[in-house]
Amino acid sequence: MELIEINNVTKRFKTGTIALNDVSLKIAKGEFVFIIGHTGCGKSTLVKIIYREEKPTSGEVFVGGVNVAKIRNRKVYKIRRKMGVVFQDFKLLEKLTVYENVAFALEIFGLKSNEIHTKVLKALELVGLKGKAKNYPDQLSGGEKQRVAIARAIVNGPKLLICDEPTGNLDEETSMEIMDVLKDVNALGTTIIMVTHDTIIVEKMKKRVIELEEGKIKKDYAKGKYKRENI
Amino acid sequence: MKIFRMLGRDIRDAFHSVVRNFSLSLASITCIIITLFIVSISIMLSAIVNNFANNVKKDMTILAFLDVDVEEERIKEIKTEIEKLGNIASISFDSKEKIAKQIIEESPTFKDILSGYTDEDNPLQNTYLVKVKNVEKIGETAKKIEGILNVESVQYGAGMVEQLLDVFETIRVVSLFVVGALIIVTIFLISNTIKITIFSRRKEIEIMRLVGASNINIKIPFLFEGVFLGLFGSILPVLATIYGYTYLYNRLGGFISIKTIELIKPSPFIYYVALLLIGIAIIVGSLGSYKAVKKHLKI
């Protein structure tokens, strides 16, 4: 069954730039998909349209059966609660501890403290940071920070996890550690869409890869078919 | 239950946020403190002026001097006639004998002069002291009393009274205007200060939106934060109002400049002013932060 269905989506910015040009795409439940391409090819815009940070100029974007392109700004939170988003710059609150950063995403739902406690510890365990719950972000390495961000994104048990260049700030070894975490998350049934320009990782992971060029899908590689061009 | 839990967390977070962003909070708090000081002083001054005006109004009396040779019977008739005029609060009567006694007690010189007269041929006039309900119409009422037969003349400080009333009215309007203007200016000032606070925390708002916080989820902690800023900002002005005014009152013995202007008794007056200040602080704080946070949400 499809979790995401994108039909003929075009995004034209006010400046006149066309970021996406008639893109259609389907992603099934439980899939792990990479979106790659050169800077400015529209890969970030594509995921922004999925988590409804941007509205497409035309076309339909179904996430779990809901056309998110038609959702009003003040209703966006409803779909955000069903997905997690991870960024290159982690977006952690420096003044909160690791535990508080993760709990932050649950407190707005009004969960009981003991429920929050259980869920946060479970998420931290999954990303391998249970021992650092009381640390502050500035006491963590880049890889650890990204793990906190992933824990925050999945603590709510979302069906979809969107990662926008999650390894962009990390060295190769740390990046692979993050990929291991994402693999674990994916194994639990969460669909993952990851935007990246790190083709080494993409090749190693052997997952479905969608390559964008100038706002269009250049190629859609099936699982394990992607090979880096030898430069 | 869920809602109380969420509100409880919002209040806790708002409190933490005030403490965590202390330097910026301090700016808002200072701003509230200064305004509340000025508002407090304006409120107290206008209250004192109002109180003074009311006292003066209460004391305003029309003196109606009767003809020297008026009969006992007629004196009573005049009283009923005055009562019928309307706008009369109270009437009291000073007989010429009583006035003579008062004068003799107060001044030895007059004692000598008046000792030459008996009660019967005393040259003083029987007098009605009339207090009116509506002081603004005191002139009109005095004129009507003067028109009554056997009333020789009336006195109520014509001209002076009207002028004084005008001055009071002007002071009242001006102080109200000043307080109103100050409150509006403070709302804008605080809104701007909190806008800076929020601007420095737009990452927090962004993350809240990302993890699925609704607009209300985002707004409420900031709203409480405004309330806290207001409450913190009101502490000093409230203490200064309560202790400062009580000190001044005791120091001056309850009056300003040789007993002309009577101060209002501190209790419960200062507590009302304190409550009003806290109320203003809360409203101004929450309104300011509401205005500020609204700008940062895509609605």
Side-chain angles (χ1 to χ4, degrees):
Chain A
M1 181 147 158
E2 314 298 344
L3 181 68
I4 294 168
E5 189 178 335
I6 295 172
N7 296 326
N8 311 100
V9 161
T10 296
K11 175 68 186 179
R12 188 181 293 111
F13 287 108
K14 278 176 190 161
T15 51
T17 321
I18 295 173
L20 294 174
N21 190 359
D22 197 25
V23 172
S24 294
L25 170 68
K26 282 179 185 171
I27 294 171
K29 261 185 195 163
E31 251 189 302
F32 195 132
V33 181
F34 285 103
I35 295 172
I36 60 167
H38 296 293
T39 307
C41 69
K43 50 190 196 298
S44 278
T45 308
L46 180 63
V47 288
K48 274 184 182 163
I49 275 172
I50 296 172
Y51 69 83
R52 186 46 186 80
E53 186 64 19
E54 297 284 355
K55 260 184 171 179
T57 313
S58 66
E60 294 170 316
V61 182
F62 289 98
V63 178
V66 179
N67 189 355
V68 298
K70 286 201 168 154
I71 291 181
R72 287 164 184 269
N73 277 339
R74 61 191 174 84
K75 296 279 181 198
V76 165
Y77 73 93
K78 288 189 173 174
I79 60 149
R80 292 276 169 85
R81 289 180 180 191
K82 289 176 183 154
M83 53 176 82
V85 192
V86 175
F87 299 91
Q88 180 172 357
D89 59 354
F90 324 125
K91 296 200 194 291
L92 299 178
L93 294 169
E94 301 296 325
K95 288 171 180 171
L96 301 184
T97 63
V98 166
Y99 181 91
E100 288 166 334
N101 262 292
V102 179
F104 190 72
L106 291 175
E107 287 187 341
I108 52 172
F109 297 113
L111 260 65
K112 284 184 192 149
S113 296
N114 52 1
E115 282 177 72
I116 292 179
H117 191 72
T118 320
K119 286 192 175 195
V120 171
L121 289 188
K122 208 176 141 197
L124 286 177
E125 198 175 357
L126 186 65
V127 299
L129 273 184
K130 209 176 173 184
K132 302 223 166 170
K134 285 182 180 156
N135 288 46
Y136 285 90
D138 60 7
Q139 299 167 321
L140 303 178
S141 69
E144 286 170 328
K145 284 184 194 176
Q146 194 57 289
R147 286 160 190 248
V148 179
I150 293 171
R152 183 181 62 198
I154 60 166
V155 69
N156 196 28
K159 294 206 166 52
L160 174 65
L161 179 63
I162 294 172
C163 307
D164 194 349
E165 303 268 13
T167 58
N169 276 343
L170 308 173
D171 60 50
E172 204 186 321
E173 200 189 323
T174 319
S175 294
M176 279 322 291
E177 283 170 23
I178 294 296
M179 292 319 297
D180 287 340
V181 171
L182 290 180
K183 240 191 239 173
D184 290 344
V185 173
N186 183 234
L188 293 172
T190 308
T191 310
I192 296 184
I193 301 174
M194 173 166 159
V195 171
T196 185
H197 60 259
D198 190 341
T199 49
I200 301 173
I201 291 179
V202 175
E203 196 181 279
K204 276 188 189 164
M205 290 289 286
K206 300 194 187 332
K207 302 284 184 191
R208 181 180 168 193
V209 178
I210 294 166
E211 191 178 1
L212 289 180
E213 195 177 69
E214 289 173 358
K216 281 182 177 282
I217 295 179
K218 186 184 172 194
K219 198 156 184 193
D220 193 341
Y221 301 89
K223 229 173 160 179
K225 297 282 181 209
Y226 177 77
K227 290 274 179 293
R228 276 197 317 145
E229 289 161 30
N230 291 319
I231 306 161
Chain B
M1 269 319 286
K2 192 176 163 185
I3 239 176
F4 288 121
R5 217 157 41 227
M6 287 168 87
L7 276 182
R9 276 184 193 133
D10 287 339
I11 292 172
R12 180 203 67 193
D13 289 349
F15 187 81
H16 282 172
S17 169
V18 171
V19 177
R20 277 174 176 147
N21 302 289
F22 191 70
S23 54
L24 276 168
S25 303
L26 199 66
S28 304
I29 291 172
T30 313
C31 168
I32 293 174
I33 290 176
I34 294 168
T35 313
L36 286 189
F37 264 124
I38 302 171
V39 168
S40 167
I41 291 169
S42 314
I43 290 175
M44 287 197 287
L45 270 184
S46 58
I48 290 167
V49 167
N50 242 330
N51 185 50
F52 173 57
N54 284 336
N55 283 345
V56 169
K57 281 178 187 173
K58 250 190 264 162
D59 284 347
M60 275 185 182
T61 310
I62 302 172
L63 298 176
F65 301 105
L66 309 186
D67 288 337
V68 180
D69 53 357
V70 68
E71 297 288 319
E72 202 70 20
E73 274 303 291
R74 179 65 196 142
I75 291 174
K76 281 178 190 154
E77 280 172 28
I78 292 171
K79 187 182 177 192
T80 15
E81 279 175 44
I82 294 175
E83 277 167 347
K84 278 182 198 158
L85 290 175
N87 193 30
I88 305 297
S90 66
I91 303 174
S92 61
F93 179 69
D94 279 0
S95 67
K96 56 183 181 181
E97 294 82 11
K98 189 180 160 194
I99 298 169
K101 224 183 254 171
Q102 271 177 3
I103 293 174
I104 289 165
E105 271 169 22
E106 278 169 21
S107 148
T109 325
F110 281 114
K111 189 182 171 183
D112 292 343
I113 301 168
L114 287 172
S115 60
Y117 297 97
T118 62
D119 278 353
E120 287 304 306
D121 55 6
N122 168 347
L124 297 167
Q125 290 163 295
N126 288 313
T127 309
Y128 273 116
L129 292 88
V130 182
K131 292 202 170 171
V132 293
K133 285 179 189 153
N134 182 357
V135 185
E136 269 81 40
K137 288 184 180 163
I138 193 167
E140 216 175 283
T141 311
K143 216 172 245 173
K144 281 184 196 164
I145 294 174
E146 199 168 17
I148 293 171
L149 184 69
N150 292 119
V151 173
E152 192 225 52
S153 64
V154 292
Q155 245 180 43
Y156 68 97
M160 201 273 276
V161 172
E162 280 89 351
Q163 259 179 15
L164 204 59
L165 286 176
D166 273 356
V167 172
F168 289 157
E169 187 59 21
T170 314
I171 292 175
R172 210 175 59 83
V173 170
V174 168
S175 57
L176 262 179
F177 179 77
V178 167
V179 169
L182 262 173
I183 288 173
I184 291 170
V185 168
T186 315
I187 289 179
F188 277 98
L189 231 57
I190 286 169
S191 166
N192 276 326
T193 324
I194 291 179
K195 237 180 240 169
I196 300 170
T197 319
I198 288 176
F199 187 72
S200 73
R201 291 166 61 192
R202 54 193 193 287
K203 189 174 160 192
E204 206 171 314
I205 294 180
E206 189 195 341
I207 294 170
M208 287 177 93
R209 287 182 62 82
L210 268 177
V211 298
S214 67
N215 286 342
I216 289 174
N217 283 146
I218 298 172
K219 264 186 222 163
I220 286 180
F222 282 104
L223 218 62
F224 279 125
E225 201 174 326
V227 171
F228 277 126
L229 290 178
L231 283 178
F232 284 140
S234 65
I235 294 173
L236 270 181
V238 162
L239 289 181
T241 303
I242 292 176
Y243 291 107
Y245 186 79
T246 313
Y247 173 78
L248 262 181
Y249 185 85
N250 293 333
R251 184 79 196 272
L252 296 172
F255 293 95
I256 296 176
S257 75
I258 39 167
K259 301 210 166 189
T260 355
I261 299 176
E262 194 187 353
L263 289 173
I264 303 169
K265 280 205 181 70
S267 176
F269 169 61
I270 41 170
Y271 300 110
Y272 290 145
V273 177
L275 275 181
L276 194 66
L277 289 184
I278 294 172
I280 290 175
I282 289 175
I283 291 172
V284 158
S286 47
L287 222 65
S289 68
Y290 183 81
K291 248 173 70 74
V293 78
K294 213 176 160 198
K295 223 191 120 212
H296 280 269
L297 295 174
K298 288 183 189 168
I299 297 173

